[in-house]
Amino acid sequence: MSFNRREFVKFLGGSTLALGPLSLTSCQQKTGALKGIDFSSKDEFILAEGFEYDLLISFQDKISDKDTFGSNNDYTCPVAINDSEVILWVNHEYPDLLVGSQWSEGIERTKEMIDQERYTVGGSLLHLKKEQKIWKLVFNSPYNRRLNGNTEIPLISERPIEGKKTAIGTFANCAGGITPWKTILTCEENFHNYYGDRTFPEGKKVESILEWDKFYDYPPEHYGWVVEVNPMSGAAKKLTALGRFSHECATCIPTKDGRVAVYSGDDKNDEFLYKFLSDKGDSLEKGELFVANIAEGQWISLSWEKQDILKKTFKDQTDVLIHCREAGRLLGATPLDRPEDIEINPATGDVFVCLTNNKKRGNMHGSILKISESGSDHSSMSFKASDFLVGGESFSCPDNMAFDKAGNLWFATDISGGSMNKPPYSKFKNNGLFYVEMKGANAGEVIQIASAPKDAELTGLSFSPDGETMFLSVQHPGEKSKNLKSLTSHWPRGGESIPLSSVIQIRGPLLKG
Ligand code: FEO
Ligand code: CA
Ligand code: CA
């Protein structure tokens, strides 16, 4: 794939205009031995030459005598037990209506369907063992567990929320993070689809799309949090100090002064980027939440004690945390184009934020924003923001990222099922996995490594501790199928089989070994 001038210029931190007549050919570089693939609309998982993949696990596969793997796998995060064994956390973002509860338009939603759905969301913990380069599930391992829409999870907050200190269930688990003490953070993103939400300040109930609230009366305020999970025991808690919004991810990094910074985006058009600074270096239960003013390069405190306008508007700090969007807006936070995954460049400490798109504002293809904290200090209150890569030519709608062991960036795209292969997205065809070298002659070049099957999104990329395997979620293949008799995808099993969200494992030349 040829070098892209606009992206290259952005990578250098310059402006396209300032460089004037620099021609495309003067920027073109050889990609060395690595040859990317072209965009594809085939119902296949296609990889660049030299790479190979194996299926790890698919929706509804048994993980033990009592549990099955959940629906619509997203974030993956391996935690090492030893050199050849890991516990892999996998998010299950939303129910598979087609295959799971077998609901289709025109059919009334029943309690039985919703109960099936409540079991399939949340997350899985999987004990994996590596045998001759391939990771395999240890069936029935005591480490294999499910968290789901029924799991009782304590709310870590200053006071009860809607009269309770325990929430029933976690769902809408999109991306996540890992703490310095190796617990998992799983993020509740589009929580309003399940038990609805309430308007502020009126408190008027907004009905949900999935109608779980037709059968269960759980407060919407119990969802939209970051949930910390111990991968060894499965114990979980909802960390309310990190705020409540459509959390895409929660990316942790220790600060120079011994605390932890956690970056998180609110994936909704015109919502904000947040940073949490913990009080202690080994706990996220207490700390201060900030929201970004990008134009001024400032982190603004969401502390009820410190901000008069918050004192006037909200009852207490918990009330602020429940209503982060309203609090951020009052304090002049900068609306963004759907902030999704966040990763930190291990070489520079720069914070990379995927801004997927904002169709209402005419931003169709998104970008990757770079936040450079003052003094490379993650507890800093000021930063500089610039574009790192801009979509529209060699990729569109960046969503999830990961840096590999060598410090190079991988990212995956999420053009929505309804937009894919249609203008203005036609040329990008199916979603893809892309690679960006961070230094050397080819730095900033975007190379496509994989293409997803039909209607699918690639997401949840992570690396095994030895760096030799990339785990990758292939989510919602065939999501535009009208019913089980008229399927748009048959991935991964082929033939006339039903499409199944699955986690795959990739090996190849850019991965060590
Ligand atoms: Fe669940 Fe913002 O992607
Ligand atoms: Ca996402
Ligand atoms: Ca990531």
Side-chain angles (χ1 to χ4, degrees), residues 284-328:
L284 302 179
E285 292 192 4
K286 287 188 176 151
E288 191 168 352
L289 189 63
F290 300 84
V291 66
N293 181 323
I294 303 284
E296 290 178 17
Q298 294 291 328
W299 292 107
I300 311 164
S301 174
L302 287 169
S303 161
W304 185 84
E305 283 292 340
K306 291 182 185 171
Q307 304 279 16
D308 285 346
I309 194 160
L310 299 186
K311 271 194 176 164
K312 276 190 207 138
T313 316
F314 301 98
K315 284 193 294 238
D316 56 17
Q317 184 63 37
T318 305
D319 203 21
V320 172
L321 294 168
I322 291 169
H323 302 106
C324 282
R325 287 176 178 166
E326 290 81 5

Short mmCIF file of all heavy atoms in Angstrom, two decimals, residues 284-328:
data_model
loop_
_atom_site.label_atom_id
_atom_site.label_comp_id
_atom_site.label_asym_id
_atom_site.label_seq_id
_atom_site.Cartn_x
_atom_site.Cartn_y
_atom_site.Cartn_z
N LEU A 284 -7.74 2.20 42.83
CA LEU A 284 -8.47 3.22 42.05
C LEU A 284 -9.79 3.58 42.74
O LEU A 284 -10.66 4.19 42.13
CB LEU A 284 -8.74 2.72 40.63
CG LEU A 284 -7.51 2.31 39.80
CD1 LEU A 284 -7.94 1.81 38.43
CD2 LEU A 284 -6.53 3.46 39.67
N GLU A 285 -9.92 3.18 43.99
CA GLU A 285 -11.20 3.42 44.68
C GLU A 285 -11.41 4.90 44.98
O GLU A 285 -12.54 5.37 45.00
CB GLU A 285 -11.28 2.59 45.96
CG GLU A 285 -11.36 1.10 45.65
CD GLU A 285 -11.73 0.26 46.84
OE1 GLU A 285 -12.01 0.82 47.92
OE2 GLU A 285 -11.73 -0.97 46.69
N LYS A 286 -10.31 5.63 45.22
CA LYS A 286 -10.44 7.06 45.53
C LYS A 286 -9.46 7.87 44.69
O LYS A 286 -8.34 7.40 44.42
CB LYS A 286 -10.17 7.30 47.01
CG LYS A 286 -11.31 6.81 47.86
CD LYS A 286 -11.15 7.20 49.30
CE LYS A 286 -12.39 6.77 50.07
NZ LYS A 286 -12.12 6.47 51.45
N GLY A 287 -9.86 9.10 44.36
CA GLY A 287 -8.99 9.97 43.58
C GLY A 287 -9.78 11.12 43.01
O GLY A 287 -10.93 11.36 43.43
N GLU A 288 -9.18 11.84 42.06
CA GLU A 288 -9.83 13.02 41.49
C GLU A 288 -10.02 12.82 39.99
O GLU A 288 -9.12 12.35 39.29
CB GLU A 288 -8.95 14.26 41.76
CG GLU A 288 -9.64 15.57 41.45
CD GLU A 288 -8.86 16.78 41.99
OE1 GLU A 288 -7.86 16.59 42.74
OE2 GLU A 288 -9.24 17.91 41.65
N LEU A 289 -11.21 13.19 39.52
CA LEU A 289 -11.52 13.05 38.09
C LEU A 289 -11.41 14.40 37.40
O LEU A 289 -11.83 15.42 37.97
CB LEU A 289 -12.93 12.47 37.94
CG LEU A 289 -13.36 12.07 36.54
CD1 LEU A 289 -12.50 10.92 35.98
CD2 LEU A 289 -14.84 11.65 36.52
N PHE A 290 -10.85 14.39 36.20
CA PHE A 290 -10.67 15.61 35.41
C PHE A 290 -11.27 15.39 34.02
O PHE A 290 -11.36 14.26 33.56
CB PHE A 290 -9.17 15.93 35.25
CG PHE A 290 -8.46 16.15 36.56
CD1 PHE A 290 -7.97 15.07 37.29
CD2 PHE A 290 -8.29 17.43 37.08
CE1 PHE A 290 -7.32 15.25 38.50
CE2 PHE A 290 -7.64 17.63 38.30
CZ PHE A 290 -7.16 16.54 39.01
N VAL A 291 -11.63 16.50 33.37
CA VAL A 291 -12.15 16.44 32.01
C VAL A 291 -11.31 17.38 31.15
O VAL A 291 -10.79 18.38 31.66
CB VAL A 291 -13.67 16.75 32.00
CG1 VAL A 291 -13.96 18.20 32.41
CG2 VAL A 291 -14.31 16.42 30.67
N ALA A 292 -11.16 17.04 29.85
CA ALA A 292 -10.19 17.77 29.02
C ALA A 292 -10.81 18.98 28.31
O ALA A 292 -11.87 18.87 27.68
CB ALA A 292 -9.60 16.83 27.98
N ASN A 293 -10.12 20.12 28.44
CA ASN A 293 -10.37 21.25 27.54
C ASN A 293 -9.23 21.19 26.52
O ASN A 293 -8.09 21.56 26.82
CB ASN A 293 -10.35 22.57 28.31
CG ASN A 293 -10.62 23.76 27.41
OD1 ASN A 293 -10.16 23.78 26.26
ND2 ASN A 293 -11.32 24.75 27.92
N ILE A 294 -9.54 20.66 25.34
CA ILE A 294 -8.50 20.38 24.34
C ILE A 294 -7.93 21.68 23.78
O ILE A 294 -6.72 21.82 23.59
CB ILE A 294 -9.07 19.50 23.19
CG1 ILE A 294 -9.66 18.19 23.75
CG2 ILE A 294 -8.01 19.24 22.12
CD1 ILE A 294 -8.71 17.13 24.17
N ALA A 295 -8.81 22.66 23.53
CA ALA A 295 -8.35 23.91 22.92
C ALA A 295 -7.32 24.61 23.82
O ALA A 295 -6.33 25.14 23.33
CB ALA A 295 -9.55 24.83 22.68
N GLU A 296 -7.55 24.59 25.11
CA GLU A 296 -6.62 25.25 26.04
C GLU A 296 -5.57 24.32 26.61
O GLU A 296 -4.68 24.75 27.35
CB GLU A 296 -7.41 25.93 27.17
CG GLU A 296 -8.18 27.13 26.65
CD GLU A 296 -9.03 27.79 27.72
OE1 GLU A 296 -8.79 27.55 28.92
OE2 GLU A 296 -9.95 28.53 27.33
N GLY A 297 -5.68 23.02 26.31
CA GLY A 297 -4.71 22.06 26.81
C GLY A 297 -4.71 21.97 28.32
O GLY A 297 -3.66 21.91 28.96
N GLN A 298 -5.91 21.94 28.91
CA GLN A 298 -6.03 21.92 30.37
C GLN A 298 -6.92 20.76 30.84
O GLN A 298 -7.93 20.47 30.20
CB GLN A 298 -6.69 23.23 30.87
CG GLN A 298 -5.86 24.48 30.66
CD GLN A 298 -4.61 24.54 31.52
OE1 GLN A 298 -4.60 24.03 32.64
NE2 GLN A 298 -3.55 25.14 31.01
N TRP A 299 -6.55 20.15 31.95
CA TRP A 299 -7.41 19.19 32.64
C TRP A 299 -8.20 19.97 33.69
O TRP A 299 -7.62 20.66 34.52
CB TRP A 299 -6.59 18.09 33.30
CG TRP A 299 -5.91 17.19 32.32
CD1 TRP A 299 -4.59 17.15 32.02
CD2 TRP A 299 -6.54 16.20 31.49
NE1 TRP A 299 -4.33 16.19 31.06
CE2 TRP A 299 -5.52 15.59 30.71
CE3 TRP A 299 -7.86 15.76 31.31
CZ2 TRP A 299 -5.77 14.58 29.79
CZ3 TRP A 299 -8.12 14.75 30.39
CH2 TRP A 299 -7.08 14.17 29.65
N ILE A 300 -9.53 19.84 33.65
CA ILE A 300 -10.39 20.59 34.57
C ILE A 300 -10.93 19.63 35.63
O ILE A 300 -11.49 18.58 35.31
CB ILE A 300 -11.60 21.19 33.81
CG1 ILE A 300 -11.14 21.93 32.55
CG2 ILE A 300 -12.42 22.10 34.71
CD1 ILE A 300 -12.28 22.21 31.58
N SER A 301 -10.79 20.01 36.88
CA SER A 301 -11.22 19.14 37.98
C SER A 301 -12.74 19.03 38.03
O SER A 301 -13.46 20.01 37.89
CB SER A 301 -10.71 19.70 39.31
OG SER A 301 -11.25 18.93 40.37
N LEU A 302 -13.22 17.81 38.27
CA LEU A 302 -14.65 17.57 38.49
C LEU A 302 -14.93 17.39 39.98
O LEU A 302 -15.86 16.68 40.37
CB LEU A 302 -15.10 16.34 37.70
CG LEU A 302 -15.21 16.53 36.19
CD1 LEU A 302 -15.40 15.19 35.48
CD2 LEU A 302 -16.37 17.44 35.82
N SER A 303 -14.11 18.04 40.81
CA SER A 303 -14.30 17.95 42.26
C SER A 303 -15.41 18.89 42.71
O SER A 303 -15.35 20.11 42.47
CB SER A 303 -12.99 18.29 42.97
OG SER A 303 -13.24 18.64 44.31
N TRP A 304 -16.42 18.34 43.37
CA TRP A 304 -17.54 19.12 43.89
C TRP A 304 -17.05 20.16 44.89
O TRP A 304 -17.53 21.29 44.91
CB TRP A 304 -18.53 18.14 44.54
CG TRP A 304 -19.81 18.72 45.03
CD1 TRP A 304 -20.94 18.96 44.29
CD2 TRP A 304 -20.12 19.09 46.38
NE1 TRP A 304 -21.93 19.46 45.09
CE2 TRP A 304 -21.46 19.56 46.37
CE3 TRP A 304 -19.41 19.09 47.58
CZ2 TRP A 304 -22.10 20.01 47.53
CZ3 TRP A 304 -20.05 19.53 48.74
CH2 TRP A 304 -21.37 20.00 48.70
N GLU A 305 -16.06 19.77 45.70
CA GLU A 305 -15.48 20.68 46.70
C GLU A 305 -14.82 21.89 46.06
O GLU A 305 -14.90 23.00 46.56
CB GLU A 305 -14.41 19.95 47.53
CG GLU A 305 -14.95 19.00 48.58
CD GLU A 305 -15.66 19.73 49.72
OE1 GLU A 305 -15.42 20.93 49.90
OE2 GLU A 305 -16.48 19.08 50.41
N LYS A 306 -14.14 21.67 44.92
CA LYS A 306 -13.31 22.73 44.32
C LYS A 306 -14.08 23.64 43.35
O LYS A 306 -13.60 24.73 43.04
CB LYS A 306 -12.13 22.10 43.55
CG LYS A 306 -11.10 21.44 44.45
CD LYS A 306 -9.96 20.90 43.61
CE LYS A 306 -8.97 20.11 44.45
NZ LYS A 306 -7.98 19.42 43.63
N GLN A 307 -15.20 23.16 42.81
CA GLN A 307 -15.88 23.92 41.74
C GLN A 307 -17.24 24.44 42.22
O GLN A 307 -18.17 23.65 42.43
CB GLN A 307 -16.09 23.01 40.51
CG GLN A 307 -14.81 22.39 39.97
CD GLN A 307 -14.01 23.34 39.08
OE1 GLN A 307 -14.23 24.56 39.09
NE2 GLN A 307 -13.06 22.80 38.33
N ASP A 308 -17.34 25.75 42.35
CA ASP A 308 -18.59 26.35 42.83
C ASP A 308 -19.80 25.97 41.98
O ASP A 308 -20.88 25.70 42.50
CB ASP A 308 -18.45 27.88 42.87
CG ASP A 308 -17.60 28.31 44.06
OD1 ASP A 308 -17.38 27.46 44.95
OD2 ASP A 308 -17.13 29.47 44.08
N ILE A 309 -19.58 25.96 40.67
CA ILE A 309 -20.72 25.67 39.79
C ILE A 309 -21.24 24.24 39.99
O ILE A 309 -22.44 23.97 39.87
CB ILE A 309 -20.38 25.97 38.31
CG1 ILE A 309 -21.67 26.00 37.49
CG2 ILE A 309 -19.37 25.00 37.73
CD1 ILE A 309 -21.59 26.71 36.21
N LEU A 310 -20.34 23.34 40.34
CA LEU A 310 -20.77 21.96 40.63
C LEU A 310 -21.53 21.92 41.96
O LEU A 310 -22.53 21.21 42.10
CB LEU A 310 -19.58 21.01 40.65
CG LEU A 310 -18.78 20.88 39.35
CD1 LEU A 310 -17.72 19.79 39.47
CD2 LEU A 310 -19.69 20.58 38.14
N LYS A 311 -21.08 22.70 42.93
CA LYS A 311 -21.76 22.77 44.23
C LYS A 311 -23.19 23.29 44.06
O LYS A 311 -24.11 22.84 44.72
CB LYS A 311 -21.01 23.69 45.19
CG LYS A 311 -19.95 22.96 45.99
CD LYS A 311 -19.46 23.83 47.15
CE LYS A 311 -18.49 23.05 47.99
NZ LYS A 311 -17.70 23.90 48.87
N LYS A 312 -23.35 24.26 43.13
CA LYS A 312 -24.67 24.86 42.90
C LYS A 312 -25.61 23.87 42.19
O LYS A 312 -26.81 23.94 42.32
CB LYS A 312 -24.52 26.10 42.03
CG LYS A 312 -24.18 27.33 42.83
CD LYS A 312 -24.29 28.57 41.95
CE LYS A 312 -23.35 29.64 42.48
NZ LYS A 312 -22.62 30.36 41.46
N THR A 313 -25.04 22.98 41.37
CA THR A 313 -25.86 22.15 40.49
C THR A 313 -26.12 20.75 41.04
O THR A 313 -27.16 20.16 40.77
CB THR A 313 -25.17 22.04 39.10
OG1 THR A 313 -24.71 23.34 38.72
CG2 THR A 313 -26.10 21.50 38.04
N PHE A 314 -25.14 20.21 41.77
CA PHE A 314 -25.24 18.81 42.19
C PHE A 314 -25.24 18.70 43.72
O PHE A 314 -24.69 19.56 44.41
CB PHE A 314 -24.06 18.01 41.61
CG PHE A 314 -24.02 18.04 40.11
CD1 PHE A 314 -23.19 18.92 39.43
CD2 PHE A 314 -24.85 17.20 39.37
CE1 PHE A 314 -23.16 18.97 38.04
CE2 PHE A 314 -24.82 17.23 37.97
CZ PHE A 314 -23.98 18.13 37.31
N LYS A 315 -25.86 17.60 44.20
CA LYS A 315 -26.00 17.39 45.65
C LYS A 315 -24.66 17.15 46.34
O LYS A 315 -24.39 17.63 47.41
CB LYS A 315 -26.87 16.15 45.91
CG LYS A 315 -28.35 16.37 45.70
CD LYS A 315 -29.14 15.21 46.26
CE LYS A 315 -28.89 13.92 45.53
NZ LYS A 315 -29.95 13.22 44.94
N ASP A 316 -23.84 16.33 45.70
CA ASP A 316 -22.56 15.92 46.31
C ASP A 316 -21.65 15.34 45.22
O ASP A 316 -22.03 15.33 44.04
CB ASP A 316 -22.81 14.91 47.44
CG ASP A 316 -23.60 13.69 46.98
OD1 ASP A 316 -23.68 13.45 45.75
OD2 ASP A 316 -24.15 12.97 47.82
N GLN A 317 -20.48 14.86 45.61
CA GLN A 317 -19.54 14.33 44.62
C GLN A 317 -20.11 13.13 43.87
O GLN A 317 -19.92 12.99 42.66
CB GLN A 317 -18.21 13.93 45.32
CG GLN A 317 -17.12 13.46 44.36
CD GLN A 317 -16.67 14.54 43.38
OE1 GLN A 317 -16.59 15.71 43.72
NE2 GLN A 317 -16.40 14.14 42.14
N THR A 318 -20.85 12.28 44.56
CA THR A 318 -21.43 11.11 43.89
C THR A 318 -22.40 11.56 42.80
O THR A 318 -22.43 10.97 41.70
CB THR A 318 -22.14 10.20 44.93
OG1 THR A 318 -21.19 9.87 45.94
CG2 THR A 318 -22.66 8.92 44.30
N ASP A 319 -23.15 12.61 43.08
CA ASP A 319 -24.09 13.16 42.10
C ASP A 319 -23.33 13.68 40.85
O ASP A 319 -23.78 13.50 39.72
CB ASP A 319 -24.89 14.29 42.76
CG ASP A 319 -26.22 14.55 42.09
OD1 ASP A 319 -26.72 13.66 41.38
OD2 ASP A 319 -26.76 15.66 42.28
N VAL A 320 -22.18 14.31 41.08
CA VAL A 320 -21.34 14.76 39.96
C VAL A 320 -20.88 13.56 39.15
O VAL A 320 -20.97 13.55 37.90
CB VAL A 320 -20.10 15.54 40.47
CG1 VAL A 320 -19.12 15.84 39.32
CG2 VAL A 320 -20.51 16.84 41.16
N LEU A 321 -20.41 12.52 39.84
CA LEU A 321 -19.86 11.34 39.14
C LEU A 321 -20.93 10.63 38.32
O LEU A 321 -20.65 10.10 37.24
CB LEU A 321 -19.23 10.39 40.16
CG LEU A 321 -17.99 10.95 40.87
CD1 LEU A 321 -17.60 10.08 42.05
CD2 LEU A 321 -16.82 11.10 39.89
N ILE A 322 -22.18 10.63 38.82
CA ILE A 322 -23.28 10.01 38.08
C ILE A 322 -23.60 10.81 36.82
O ILE A 322 -24.02 10.26 35.81
CB ILE A 322 -24.54 9.88 38.99
CG1 ILE A 322 -24.29 8.85 40.09
CG2 ILE A 322 -25.79 9.52 38.18
CD1 ILE A 322 -25.34 8.83 41.19
N HIS A 323 -23.36 12.13 36.88
CA HIS A 323 -23.73 13.03 35.77
C HIS A 323 -22.51 13.73 35.19
O HIS A 323 -22.49 14.95 35.04
CB HIS A 323 -24.76 14.06 36.25
CG HIS A 323 -26.00 13.44 36.80
ND1 HIS A 323 -26.29 13.40 38.14
CD2 HIS A 323 -27.02 12.80 36.17
CE1 HIS A 323 -27.45 12.78 38.32
NE2 HIS A 323 -27.91 12.40 37.14
N CYS A 324 -21.48 12.96 34.84
CA CYS A 324 -20.23 13.56 34.33
C CYS A 324 -20.44 14.43 33.10
O CYS A 324 -19.79 15.47 32.94
CB CYS A 324 -19.25 12.45 33.95
SG CYS A 324 -18.44 11.74 35.37
N ARG A 325 -21.34 14.00 32.22
CA ARG A 325 -21.55 14.76 30.97
C ARG A 325 -22.03 16.18 31.28
O ARG A 325 -21.51 17.14 30.72
CB ARG A 325 -22.58 14.06 30.08
CG ARG A 325 -22.03 12.82 29.45
CD ARG A 325 -23.10 12.09 28.66
NE ARG A 325 -22.49 10.92 28.03
CZ ARG A 325 -23.18 9.93 27.49
NH1 ARG A 325 -24.51 9.96 27.51
NH2 ARG A 325 -22.56 8.91 26.93
N GLU A 326 -23.01 16.27 32.16
CA GLU A 326 -23.56 17.58 32.50
C GLU A 326 -22.52 18.42 33.24
O GLU A 326 -22.38 19.62 32.99
CB GLU A 326 -24.82 17.42 33.36
CG GLU A 326 -26.02 16.85 32.61
CD GLU A 326 -25.99 15.33 32.46
OE1 GLU A 326 -25.08 14.68 33.01
OE2 GLU A 326 -26.88 14.79 31.77
N ALA A 327 -21.75 17.76 34.13
CA ALA A 327 -20.72 18.49 34.89
C ALA A 327 -19.62 18.99 33.96
O ALA A 327 -19.19 20.14 34.04
CB ALA A 327 -20.15 17.57 35.96
N GLY A 328 -19.18 18.14 33.04
CA GLY A 328 -18.13 18.52 32.09
C GLY A 328 -18.57 19.69 31.22
O GLY A 328 -17.79 20.61 30.94
#
